[in-house]
Amino acid sequence: MQSATAKDSFYNKIVKLVIPIVVQNLLSAAVNSADVIMLNYVGQSSISAVSLAANYANVLFMIYYGLGTGASMLSAQYWGKGDTAPIRVIEGIALRFSMVITLCFSAFALFAPELMMKLFTNDTELIGIGAGYLRVMSVTYLCWGVIEVYLAILRSIGRVTVCMVLNVMAFSINIILNAVFIFGLLGAPKMGAAGVAIATALSRVIELIGCIIVSAFSQDIKLKLGYMFLRSNLLFQDFLKLSLPALCNDIAWSVAFSMYSVILGHMGSDAVAANSLVVVVRNFGTVLCFGTASAGGILLGNVMGEGDMERARIYASKLMKLTVITGAVGGVLVLIATPFVLHFAQLSETAMHYLKYMLLINTYYIMGAAVNTTLIAGVFRAGGDSRFGLICDVIDMWGYAVPLGFLAAFVFKLPVLWVYFLLCTDEFVKWPWVIRHYRSGKWLKNITREDLFEKESENP
């Protein structure tokens, strides 16, 4: 009876969390799709340059995701426990880290964008287009750092609908402004790739204003830069212990994934252009399974914060079954989308050949990514276990996938599609260790502290 009750409760709760998160992810994928589709009519060079330059935003996003994960792991459990005071301190700690990192990224993007582009390509045309894009994006990063931390806190306490509304607003504005600045509508100049960056920057500013308005009406968790000055040595230690491995994990993963683009970027613009479209389609294919993983992590964190480990174990089992189903659905969606993408894409004959087979490879690659993301970034981190994911991804991607890709491309000089296929084996290589760790149950932990502030007043 208890198991059946837990099952019913899980599905009711997970649906309420999944729908807003999936809508957010869909809109995010839609914005990226709009960028690529509109630039498709500007030229292949614009698609390739923006795709390469966007790798920096991807790395930065993973940094924010890592910081947000550390904050979410603690916040979700304290929220489940019914203690909101530590959450404000946790938000302030995450904002401090975010601001320092964001300022560094913005400075490089503003003052040395050409140098940043040269890491991905030696094509002078792509470097010039990408540098202009990065220079405008430097403004975007400053807003983004604050937005992502606040939204991560809101999601961790179940306010996913608020986050969805803010994202709907920002993404809708972004798509409209993309069209305006790329094609020169409504009297605006025709700016091509630079127009994408300007549209993104303006939409982020508006989204930040939206966060401030939401905060003004919030009764418990607000967006306050003053939280950065709140102090708690114990929470700071907990944040570092949990967030640093998650942050390092996400940076290691995102930089390694960017290295895939470096490898393809030095194999020609046809490979880059094809991969740009593949990423867009794959993002749509992973929307449901990644949304399920995020929602599951929030729910599991709340339950473990309540101290109900048996229910958390049951919920995790149900989450894994859902993940397999959504991963299979994602692969089928990519397969269905393939003929439509091939029909509308305006690439060279060689790039179209690459695009076809890259899409087919992703029909099964999504399953590997779905299972690993759910376990490493969802289940394990819900219980504060971020160290395992760091070790696993560093060994898998930096000890296996990246070296294999470089050897295949530049030593053995294999064809582009063989190199891409080998790079896409990374998710399946780590399955045995990830699944074994899940079955061990070592991730089931309550990471909250009792009488936190009383203890600190006794030991200043």
Side-chain angles (χ1 to χ4, degrees):
M1 180 67 70
Q2 183 181 0
S3 178
T5 302
K7 177 180 177 181
D8 295 339
S9 178
F10 170 80
Y11 287 115
N12 289 334
K13 291 178 180 178
I14 202 73
V15 167
K16 291 178 182 177
L17 290 171
V18 163
I19 292 175
I21 292 175
V22 167
V23 170
Q24 291 175 58
N25 292 345
L26 272 173
L27 287 168
S28 179
V31 171
N32 294 333
S33 300
D35 291 350
V36 173
I37 291 170
M38 293 178 194
L39 288 173
N40 182 50
Y41 294 98
V42 175
Q44 183 170 307
S45 294
S46 293
I47 294 177
S48 300
V50 170
S51 173
L52 292 175
N55 279 292
Y56 286 104
N58 294 338
V59 171
L60 194 54
F61 172 77
M62 294 312 297
I63 292 173
Y64 295 148
Y65 185 77
L67 290 173
T69 296
S72 296
M73 282 188 284
L74 286 163
S75 298
Q77 290 211 12
Y78 276 110
W79 184 257
K81 186 180 180 181
D83 190 357
T84 59
I87 299 177
R88 299 183 185 94
V89 181
I90 293 163
E91 180 185 334
I93 295 170
L95 283 172
R96 289 204 298 270
F97 279 102
S98 177
M99 287 296 94
V100 171
I101 294 168
T102 299
L103 286 172
C104 292
F105 258 84
S106 295
F108 272 105
L110 182 62
F111 298 112
E114 292 84 3
L115 181 62
M116 295 173 75
M117 285 298 300
K118 286 179 182 178
L119 293 177
F120 288 100
T121 182
N122 50 12
D123 187 311
T124 54
E125 182 184 8
L126 298 187
I127 291 172
I129 296 172
Y133 174 88
L134 284 172
R135 194 169 280 113
V136 178
M137 286 294 290
S138 64
V139 178
T140 302
Y141 301 151
L142 294 171
C143 299
W144 201 14
V146 177
I147 292 168
E148 288 301 320
V149 168
Y150 186 56
L151 294 185
I153 296 291
L154 289 180
R155 280 190 290 267
S156 72
I157 63 175
R159 304 284 172 78
V160 289
T161 303
V162 174
C163 298
M164 180 193 72
V165 171
L166 288 170
N167 285 151
V168 167
M169 175 187 69
F171 293 151
S172 301
I173 292 170
N174 197 348
I175 291 175
I176 294 170
L177 292 179
N178 271 341
V180 170
F181 291 117
I182 291 174
F183 300 119
L185 305 179
L186 304 177
K190 187 181 292 187
M191 304 183 70
V196 174
I198 292 173
T200 303
L202 291 174
S203 66
R204 290 296 182 191
V205 170
I206 294 170
E207 187 175 14
L208 179 58
I209 294 171
C211 288
I212 294 171
I213 294 172
V214 168
S215 171
F217 290 94
S218 176
Q219 298 299 317
D220 36 46
I221 306 302
K222 295 181 177 291
L223 174 57
K224 284 188 176 181
L225 295 181
Y227 286 168
M228 291 192 293
F229 303 101
L230 297 176
R231 293 289 184 266
S232 170
N233 291 332
L234 291 175
L235 279 176
F236 187 75
Q237 291 168 17
D238 288 345
F239 185 86
L240 290 182
K241 181 181 177 181
L242 299 174
S243 186
L244 279 185
L247 177 59
C248 293
N249 183 186
D250 292 334
I251 292 175
W253 185 89
S254 60
V255 173
F257 215 76
S258 294
M259 294 305 293
Y260 297 178
S261 295
V262 171
I263 294 168
L264 293 173
H266 285 83
M267 298 188 77
S269 63
D270 287 326
V272 175
N275 188 50
S276 301
L277 289 176
V278 169
V279 169
V280 170
V281 178
R282 183 172 63 217
N283 286 344
F284 275 108
T286 57
V287 159
L288 183 57
C289 47
F290 285 5
T292 302
S294 298
I298 294 169
L299 183 54
L300 287 173
N302 292 160
V303 172
M304 281 186 265
E306 295 171 8
D308 193 343
M309 297 305 166
E310 181 57 31
R311 186 154 58 102
R313 188 187 295 274
I314 294 171
Y315 279 10
S317 175
K318 302 301 177 187
L319 180 63
M320 279 306 301
K321 292 176 183 177
L322 274 180
T323 299
V324 172
I325 294 171
T326 56
V329 170
V332 171
L333 288 175
V334 172
L335 187 62
I336 293 172
T338 297
F340 296 97
V341 175
L342 294 175
H343 178 73
F344 288 105
Q346 296 188 11
L347 304 179
S348 68
E349 183 178 348
T350 302
M352 291 293 287
H353 176 70
Y354 293 158
L355 176 62
K356 176 182 177 181
Y357 289 98
M358 285 178 174
L359 286 170
L360 292 177
I361 288 171
N362 276 274
T363 59
Y364 66 83
Y365 181 73
I366 285 176
M367 178 63 76
V371 171
N372 288 325
T373 300
T374 296
L375 289 176
I376 293 175
V379 174
F380 299 163
R381 290 185 183 181
D385 186 357
S386 53
R387 185 169 175 269
F388 175 83
L390 170 61
I391 296 171
C392 184
D393 279 340
V394 167
I395 293 174
D396 175 60
M397 301 193 78
W398 290 100
Y400 168 76
V402 172
L404 179 64
F406 273 101
L407 287 172
F410 306 121
V411 176
F412 299 110
K413 300 187 182 301
L414 296 180
V416 168
L417 289 175
W418 274 106
V419 173
Y420 187 80
F421 168 76
L422 291 172
L423 289 173
C424 287
T425 61
D426 63 333
E427 295 288 356
F428 298 97
V429 167
K430 59 188 176 188
W431 260 20
W433 291 272
V434 174
I435 293 173
R436 180 182 176 184
H437 189 69
Y438 163 70
R439 288 176 175 171
S440 73
K442 294 178 181 178
W443 46 272
L444 278 163
K445 296 177 184 176
N446 185 325
I447 55 177
T448 62
R449 292 178 182 269
E450 297 293 336
D451 303 321
L452 174 67
F453 298 109
E454 288 81 354
K455 288 179 181 178
E456 291 197 312
S457 62
E458 294 172 2
N459 300 286

